[in-house]
Structure formats: structure tokens, C-alpha cells
Amino acid sequence: MIQRIQTVYLALVFIFSFVSLLSPMGEWMVADTIVAQFSNFTFNAFGDYKSLDETSGPWCLGVLLIIVMVLSLLSIMLFRKRMRQLRLTIVSTILLVGYAATYAFFAYVVYQLKIDNIASVPPPVFHLRFMAVFPVISIILNCLAIQGIRKDEALVRSLDRIR
């Protein structure tokens, strides 16, 4: 199980998803002061922007990451059933792409509809945190795991033909 490289890729996807789940993903800043912070379950605003806290947090992003983590663990456990492992990894990749699109959409909507409407002399600027790159890295790792699973399946099928 551990000897297969795709197991390492899937374990890294689990770790990156877990770290992304617990850390803030981005923040809006005005003159080196954080006015709002965005994570996978919450949206927090500070100071003059406190009225923005009434918006519900992006809980769907956290749920997507939890599903990706569960699918990664299931894929690791199903190392003998390569076709199921392949399908679960493909579903996990699709969910991660959806996560990235939803994250970008939510950040844009919050900025355009909420933060931009509050008059401030220097407008707030959105800064991505380093942890926001982890889901994109997870998509790449899932693609590498898919390639490894396909190679294993091709090898097993070729050995079955020889017998």
C-alpha cells in the first residue's frame, strides 16, 4: 500500500486539505490593517467593517474540503480495488475544482457587494494567504495519483493476459 506512489499523493491531498480547512484563506486589508478575514467556515470583519459580520460564512467550502478528505482516505484504503480508487480520486478532483471556483466566486461577491459599498478613502485590497494554493496543489496531486492508478491497472491487466 505505502509502496505505491499514488498512496503518497493521496496522503498529501488529505494533509493539504486538512491544513486548508483550519487556516484562513484570504483577508481584506486597508493600510496594513486587516478589516475582514475569510476562512472555509467563517467570514469575520473588524473595526468599521463589523456590520459585514451579518453575512453567513462560506460553510459550503468547508464541507467540500471535508468530503475531499474523506474521499482521499477511502481511496487510500481501497488500494486493492483500483477502479473504485480511480473513480473516487476523479470525484475528489472534480470537487476540488468546484472548491476553487466557489472560493473565487465568494471572494469576488463579498468584495463587490459588501466591502466595496462601504465608503473608505483607501479601498480595501484582497490578499490571498499561502494556504489558498493548497487546493490547487491537491488538484495536481490527484491528477498524478490518477496516472499512477491507471499504470497499476494496466500492469495488472497485462500480467493477467500473460497467464
Side-chain angles (χ1 to χ4, degrees):
M1 176 171 90
I2 291 294
Q3 297 90 358
R4 300 171 58 215
I5 190 69
Q6 57 265 28
T7 303
V8 175
Y9 294 147
L10 293 170
L12 286 173
V13 167
F14 176 80
I15 292 168
F16 285 155
S17 298
F18 184 74
V19 170
S20 294
L21 185 70
L22 298 179
S23 62
M25 302 298 281
E27 53 204 14
W28 285 270
M29 298 181 78
V30 173
D32 294 336
T33 304
I34 298 174
V35 296
Q37 196 170 40
F38 173 58
S39 69
N40 289 306
F41 286 108
T42 61
F43 174 77
N44 299 323
F46 312 106
D48 296 338
Y49 296 85
K50 191 68 175 164
S51 64
L52 297 176
D53 260 349
E54 298 166 1
T55 54
S56 61
W59 56 270
C60 62
L61 294 176
V63 171
L64 280 175
L65 277 181
I66 290 172
I67 292 171
V68 166
M69 288 170 42
V70 169
L71 289 177
S72 296
L73 282 179
L74 281 174
S75 294
I76 291 171
M77 299 302 166
L78 291 173
F79 63 94
R80 290 188 181 162
K81 298 178 181 174
R82 285 170 299 282
M83 293 313 291
R84 274 195 200 146
Q85 186 182 35
L86 180 68
R87 288 186 195 110
L88 286 177
T89 307
I90 290 172
V91 169
S92 174
T93 305
I94 292 169
L95 288 176
L96 281 169
V97 169
Y99 171 85
T102 306
Y103 172 78
F105 177 74
F106 186 80
Y108 175 75
V109 166
V110 167
Y111 182 75
Q112 288 298 324
L113 297 180
K114 301 290 183 182
I115 293 182
D116 201 26
N117 291 336
I118 295 177
S120 65
V121 176
V125 178
F126 184 69
H127 293 281
L128 281 175
R129 301 282 299 254
F130 180 70
M131 304 304 170
V133 178
F134 284 175
V136 175
I137 294 172
S138 295
I139 291 170
I140 294 168
L141 289 172
N142 266 345
C143 291
L144 291 173
I146 289 169
Q147 283 182 338
I149 295 167
R150 284 185 178 154
K151 282 182 185 177
D152 278 357
E153 184 63 22
L155 179 66
V156 168
R157 288 186 185 207
S158 71
L159 291 177
D160 284 344
R161 269 194 309 250
I162 293 174
R163 288 187 212 173

